[in-house]
Amino acid sequence: MFGEAESRRLGRLLARGLAVLTVVATLALAGPGTQRADAAVQCAGRHLKTVKFTTGELRIYKSRQYACAVTVARKPGARRAMLVSLQARGGRPAMDSGRFTRQAGPVTVPARDRCVRATGSVSGVKRSTGWVLC
């Protein structure tokens, strides 16, 4: 089918292709080497308010139809108790709580023309916004 020279050429081509594929897969899994702490936040809309506290911060975002909140640890690393809660006036709160390394949330609620309040907690230190975006 193939001569000896063609077989060697095909083998080298396959080896190069495998090497390139390995490098691409490694880069895709590893991602960029320098990621910012807020890179994990996935709220749509524009950032409107940040409530800072000793162990982290509560961030609130607003798009046309929705409000979104996330609590981010000041120093990501070890798992610790974290919570984020977001409630539109007249609605039920959306909540994410547990033991996380970096952030709790995002949580989103429909909030067109409605006030919202948010609460965030990291390692037992808790802060709330009161009614905002009214």
Side-chain angles (χ1 to χ4, degrees), residues 63-114:
S63 66
R64 185 176 186 106
Q65 298 285 331
Y66 296 93
C68 180
V70 64
T71 298
V72 181
R74 183 176 213 169
K75 294 182 181 175
R79 290 193 178 275
R80 68 202 94 176
M82 296 179 74
L83 166 132
V84 63
S85 173
L86 182 64
Q87 180 181 12
R89 193 176 296 244
R92 292 180 177 254
M95 187 180 309
D96 184 25
S97 64
R99 296 184 58 77
F100 304 110
T101 58
R102 176 173 293 158
Q103 75 178 46
V107 293
T108 304
V109 295
R112 184 175 178 116
D113 301 324
R114 290 166 49 179

Side-chain angles (χ1 to χ4, degrees), residues 30-31 35 41 46 53 61 67 86 95 99:
Q35 290 183 344
V41 176
R46 67 181 204 267
F53 46 100
Y61 299 80
L86 182 64
M95 187 180 309
R99 296 184 58 77

